[in-house]
Amino acid sequence: MISKEAFEEKFKTMPWKRRQVLEAVVGGKTDQEIRDEVLKVNDISTGRKHISNLYKDFDIEANGYNCRCELVEIVNTYKPELVAAQVLNECNLSLRPRANQEIYIERPPIEGRCYQEIVKPGALIRIKAPKRMGKTLLIQQIIAHSEKQGYAQVYLNMNELPFTNLDSFLQSFCVRVSDNLGLPDQLDSYWKKRLASKVNCKRYLEQYLLKSLDSPVVLCLDEVEQVFSHQEVAEGFLTLLRSWHEDAKSKEVWKKLRLIVVYATEVYVSLPTEQSPFNVGLQIELLEFTEQQVTSFAQAYGLNLSGDSVRKLMAMVGGHPDLLSQAFDYLKNHQAADNTLDTLLTNAPTEAGIYGSHLRQLLTSIQEHPELLDAVKLLVSTTKPVRLDATITRKLESMGLVQRYGNDCSLISNLYRLYFSDRILGSRE
């Protein structure tokens, strides 16, 4: 069986039509129902082709009905909420407990604002937060809400596209969006040499992709910060996003497009104010969890931590969702041990603790860049915010290491301060 990480990546990047077929299969629909209700085509072989592609996606050998049950077992393992009870019975499987799923802690009023925004014609939601702060889980919540409205969805990570030049980037972008929507690549019909790349891209979406859809489509662009350092691509692509948002005010076809733009650093690419997508729409910035949210997070893991225990843990890792998740997972699996939390906290800022692999990776990345190493030395030498070069601040911020205070910054948690003090300065505080 494929790993959880592989499943999540396949599911997240799967073409929209194929995901609909997957959900229909594990939801108990017949091939004929998939053809008539999901795909709305006359040829039943179209549905079977999607199912065959699903088997390939999840490394399942096509061998009759058993392979369908193997597909159901994989989905039941990683997304049990999608699987119908009668399908489990047919495959002699039992329902997996929902506790195996990732836990989502709401950050009111963020979710409500996003749900209200995504249903607006031409919506644009901007989500900013360092890595591992819960951007992906929030995206999943918004997409799930849009699915209930009957919207199509496209998830695209900018790392999947080439940054060699604007034309290659936009052509790849159009092809990947087509793939995600389950639509044939028609680039040769719409990409004209005598037209600028931006015009070709806009024509492709306006005259082909959007017109092919009966419903609005949510286009989620993740890790958009990858574009920032490529000036030609950034200027061309980001201004296109703004133009699509503006076109929705006057052109009916563009009202179908709902954009989610996700990034981890401050926007540092230079764009004219009236052409930037970063000063319109709804801006969402994910902050660390509050003490109340951390307590709810622990309870979701089945842990009943005292207020003092919660505060001691937050004194080490702050309200960082991913670091807290690792701590709660450890505590849940070591509840019978004495002084488990104290042991966790003692070892946390060392390579023997639960964060050892994460800390080593960060240290390696920092040591490979002398300018980052010098910056971290300065950060650990004081508890007060310091002013660094803007580019270095952005890099450290994207790594999830620092928190901004105006133009200054400081390390985001005591975990990093203690570890880097020891490994870089050779002193334990």
Side-chain angles (χ1 to χ4, degrees), residues 80-100:
E81 70 272 20
L82 298 179
V83 185
Q86 74 268 21
V87 175
L88 292 173
N89 290 333
E90 290 169 3
C91 294
N92 295 315
L93 296 170
S94 58
L95 181 64
R96 290 292 182 106
R98 294 182 67 88
N100 286 349

Side-chain angles (χ1 to χ4, degrees), residues 193-209:
K193 290 183 179 179
R194 61 181 175 272
L195 295 177
S197 302
K198 289 172 63 175
V199 176
N200 279 323
C201 181
K202 191 169 185 176
R203 289 175 75 246
Y204 191 79
L205 266 73
E206 182 176 305
Q207 298 178 18
Y208 174 48
L209 294 182

Side-chain angles (χ1 to χ4, degrees), residues 344-355:
L344 184 156
L345 293 175
T346 299
N347 292 327
T350 74
E351 291 168 10
I354 63 171
Y355 305 117

Side-chain angles (χ1 to χ4, degrees), residues 1 11 29 64 66 82 107 118 142 144 161 166 221 231 255 257 274 280 303 309 318 338 340 392 399 415:
M1 183 180 293
F11 188 81
K29 290 189 179 295
N66 285 341
L82 298 179
R107 290 168 156 123
I118 204 66
I142 301 171
L161 303 177
L166 181 61
L221 306 175
Q231 190 67 27
K255 293 181 180 179
L257 184 64
E274 70 279 4
V280 291
L303 299 170
S309 294
D338 294 332
T340 305
I392 292 174
M399 295 168 72
L415 175 74

Side-chain angles (χ1 to χ4, degrees), residues 58-71:
F58 296 117
D59 299 330
I60 299 171
E61 184 177 349
N63 58 357
Y65 192 77
N66 285 341
C67 56
R68 186 169 290 210
C69 284
E70 191 174 342
L71 177 64

Side-chain angles (χ1 to χ4, degrees), residues 89-150:
N89 290 333
E90 290 169 3
C91 294
N92 295 315
L93 296 170
S94 58
L95 181 64
R96 290 292 182 106
R98 294 182 67 88
N100 286 349
Q101 302 173 56
E102 287 188 273
I103 296 168
Y104 182 76
I105 299 298
E106 291 193 347
R107 290 168 156 123
I110 286 175
E111 292 82 7
R113 294 177 67 198
C114 290
Y115 299 158
Q116 290 175 2
E117 190 70 19
I118 204 66
V119 298
K120 295 179 181 178
L124 194 163
I125 300 175
R126 296 175 283 120
I127 302 174
K128 176 182 174 292
K131 291 179 180 179
R132 300 170 177 258
M133 280 293 287
K135 298 190 296 295
T136 299
L137 289 176
L138 175 58
I139 291 168
Q140 290 172 356
Q141 299 299 311
I142 301 171
I143 287 177
H145 181 76
S146 71
E147 280 184 314
K148 293 177 183 177
Q149 317 306 314

Side-chain angles (χ1 to χ4, degrees), residues 51-312:
I51 294 171
S52 177
N53 286 329
L54 286 169
Y55 295 155
K56 293 177 183 176
D57 284 343
F58 296 117
D59 299 330
I60 299 171
E61 184 177 349
N63 58 357
Y65 192 77
N66 285 341
C67 56
R68 186 169 290 210
C69 284
E70 191 174 342
L71 177 64
V72 171
E73 183 178 12
I74 290 172
V75 178
N76 187 45
T77 300
Y78 300 121
K79 272 197 169 294
E81 70 272 20
L82 298 179
V83 185
Q86 74 268 21
V87 175
L88 292 173
N89 290 333
E90 290 169 3
C91 294
N92 295 315
L93 296 170
S94 58
L95 181 64
R96 290 292 182 106
R98 294 182 67 88
N100 286 349
Q101 302 173 56
E102 287 188 273
I103 296 168
Y104 182 76
I105 299 298
E106 291 193 347
R107 290 168 156 123
I110 286 175
E111 292 82 7
R113 294 177 67 198
C114 290
Y115 299 158
Q116 290 175 2
E117 190 70 19
I118 204 66
V119 298
K120 295 179 181 178
L124 194 163
I125 300 175
R126 296 175 283 120
I127 302 174
K128 176 182 174 292
K131 291 179 180 179
R132 300 170 177 258
M133 280 293 287
K135 298 190 296 295
T136 299
L137 289 176
L138 175 58
I139 291 168
Q140 290 172 356
Q141 299 299 311
I142 301 171
I143 287 177
H145 181 76
S146 71
E147 280 184 314
K148 293 177 183 177
Q149 317 306 314
Y151 296 174
Q153 303 92 31
V154 174
Y155 172 90
L156 190 58
N157 191 302
M158 293 295 97
N159 277 322
E160 300 173 21
L161 303 177
F163 297 105
T164 48
N165 58 66
L166 181 61
D167 195 67
S168 297
F169 179 89
L170 292 179
Q171 287 194 41
S172 297
F173 169 80
C174 289
V175 172
R176 293 291 290 111
V177 175
S178 300
D179 289 345
N180 273 264
L181 290 171
L183 294 171
D185 170 11
Q186 297 286 347
L187 212 59
D188 291 340
S189 300
Y190 290 90
W191 213 268
K192 306 301 180 183
K193 290 183 179 179
R194 61 181 175 272
L195 295 177
S197 302
K198 289 172 63 175
V199 176
N200 279 323
C201 181
K202 191 169 185 176
R203 289 175 75 246
Y204 191 79
L205 266 73
E206 182 176 305
Q207 298 178 18
Y208 174 48
L209 294 182
L210 293 176
K211 282 196 173 180
S212 299
L213 299 175
D214 297 325
S215 67
V217 55
V218 174
L219 174 56
C220 179
L221 306 175
D222 204 353
E223 295 198 45
V224 173
E225 72 273 7
Q226 300 298 326
V227 179
F228 296 165
S229 58
H230 305 274
Q231 190 67 27
E232 182 203 5
V233 173
E235 287 181 1
F237 182 61
L238 298 176
T239 54
L240 259 181
L241 299 183
R242 172 64 180 266
S243 73
W244 298 342
H245 175 69
E246 295 297 332
D247 283 338
K249 297 175 182 177
S250 57
K251 296 182 180 180
E252 199 65 31
V253 68
W254 285 103
K255 293 181 180 179
K256 291 182 181 179
L257 184 64
R258 318 293 163 87
L259 287 169
I260 304 176
V261 179
V262 187
Y263 50 106
T265 68
E266 292 292 335
V267 179
Y268 57 88
V269 63
S270 179
L271 298 171
T273 302
E274 70 279 4
Q275 295 181 38
S276 172
F278 298 107
N279 53 21
V280 291
L282 174 65
Q283 179 178 358
I284 298 294
E285 187 161 358
L286 296 185
L287 304 176
E288 293 195 338
F289 285 156
T290 63
E291 184 177 327
Q292 182 179 355
Q293 289 168 329
V294 173
T295 301
S296 298
F297 201 8
Q299 290 171 347
Y301 272 86
L303 299 170
N304 187 23
L305 299 184
S306 67
D308 184 55
S309 294
V310 168
R311 286 186 288 273
K312 285 167 66 176

